[in-house]
């Protein structure tokens, strides 16, 4: 899947959000149910992805992990669309982080959170 593929899927999701029929579209039905249903589905898919990875670690067919990861990505994209966000914004964030140590990134986020808390106090 290329960036173009992600954007095309994001457009379809946005279309389903705007005018999809909940009787005939799974995605429209998720949007109609609201964010709790969408978030629950993302959580379920994340758990299934982790379990599939553990199975692969013990010799299971890696295609199961690919399948579950695709479900997780898809439902994450539904979640992004629900909140008015796009895959491009996630890609931009990943690009922003390129070359930054994960340890450094986490430390910077903690420092920023402390600054916010200090300004509120």
């Amino acid at each position: 899947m290329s960036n173009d593929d992600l954007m095309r899927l994001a457009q379809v999701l946005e279309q389903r959000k705007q005018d999809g029929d909940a009787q005939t579209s799974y995605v429209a039905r998720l949007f109609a149910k609201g964010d709790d249903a969408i978030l629950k589905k993302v959580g379920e898919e994340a758990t299934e992805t982790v379990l599939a990875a553990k199975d692969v670690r013990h010799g299971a067919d890696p295609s199961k992990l690919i399948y579950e990861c695709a479900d997780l990505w898809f439902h994450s994209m539904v979640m992004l669309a629900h909140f008015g966000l796009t895959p491009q914004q996630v890609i931009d964030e990943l690009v922003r982080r390129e070359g930054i140590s994960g340890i450094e990134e986490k430390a910077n986020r903690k420092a920023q959170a402390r600054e916010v808390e200090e300004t509120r106090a």
Side-chain angles (χ1 to χ4, degrees), residues 31-82:
F31 284 129
K33 288 181 179 181
D35 59 4
D36 281 340
I38 294 167
L39 297 173
K40 180 180 177 187
K41 194 62 184 172
V42 171
E44 288 172 7
E45 296 303 341
T47 299
E48 291 172 6
T49 301
V50 169
L51 293 174
K54 288 183 174 210
D55 289 346
V56 169
R57 178 177 65 191
H58 294 290
D61 182 353
S63 66
K64 176 69 173 164
L65 178 55
I66 297 296
Y67 180 88
E68 294 300 342
C69 197
D71 280 352
L72 178 58
W73 284 19
F74 176 82
H75 288 90
S76 294
M77 289 180 66
V78 171
M79 177 183 62
L80 288 170
H82 177 75

Side-chain angles (χ1 to χ4, degrees), residues 9-21 28 31:
L9 177 55
Q11 288 173 344
V12 170
L13 295 176
E14 192 60 37
Q15 192 174 43
R16 296 293 189 278
K17 183 173 112 175
Q18 299 302 322
D19 57 15
D21 180 357
F31 284 129

Side-chain angles (χ1 to χ4, degrees), residues 83-95:
F83 289 107
L85 302 169
T86 67
Q88 187 61 55
Q89 289 171 289
V90 176
I91 291 166
D92 292 346
E93 176 62 14
L94 290 170
V95 168

